[in-house]
Amino acid sequence: MSASDWTAVIGATDEVTHAYTTPPDLNTCRLYYTQIDERDASVTLMFETTALPERPPLAWAERAYNTVEIYVKFTGVRGLRVNGWQFSARDAGITLNPREGTGTRVTVEAEGSYLAFTASGSTVARFRSYLSAGTSC
């Protein structure tokens, strides 16, 4: 699986795949936000990238932007493990391993940070652009 094939694993990626000829590799994006919701048995990861789409959504046409956010929500989370979580997690690598009949195994690793779980479902929960004063990703 190539680095941009995450869209084949995650559900509801039409907006992303329509905007990008080749979606950005999540490992080159900055992991900017992580939310673990025990009530909903979900984990949401927000990735930030300066790789701009070739065919941006029409709603973006009227505004300036230099950064794109991609929120990926994993549902039906089980087997959650977290070891340490440091600021360096923003430069984390993510691995998505589809497992037939059991969902997707997700691993997020960076120096001093580790997050792993299995999810029965996933979706792109939000895809938006904005003008950042200073990103270095």
Side-chain angles (χ1 to χ4, degrees), residues 30 48 66-67 131-137:
R30 175 169 278 177
E48 182 182 80
N66 60 5
T67 307
L131 186 59
S132 174
T135 57
S136 59
C137 56

Side-chain angles (χ1 to χ4, degrees), residues 34-90:
T34 303
Q35 178 185 15
I36 299 170
D37 186 345
E38 72 281 357
R39 299 163 297 164
D40 191 24
S42 68
V43 173
T44 302
L45 305 174
M46 187 272 275
F47 298 93
E48 182 182 80
T49 182
T50 55
L52 303 181
E54 298 85 359
R55 298 177 306 269
L58 292 176
W60 298 6
E62 298 298 318
R63 63 176 173 233
Y65 61 91
N66 60 5
T67 307
V68 174
E69 293 177 342
I70 304 168
Y71 288 75
V72 180
K73 183 175 183 177
F74 297 92
T75 56
V77 170
R78 60 193 183 281
L80 177 68
R81 285 190 49 214
V82 179
N83 290 329
W85 200 255
Q86 299 185 20
F87 189 74
S88 63
R90 290 185 171 189

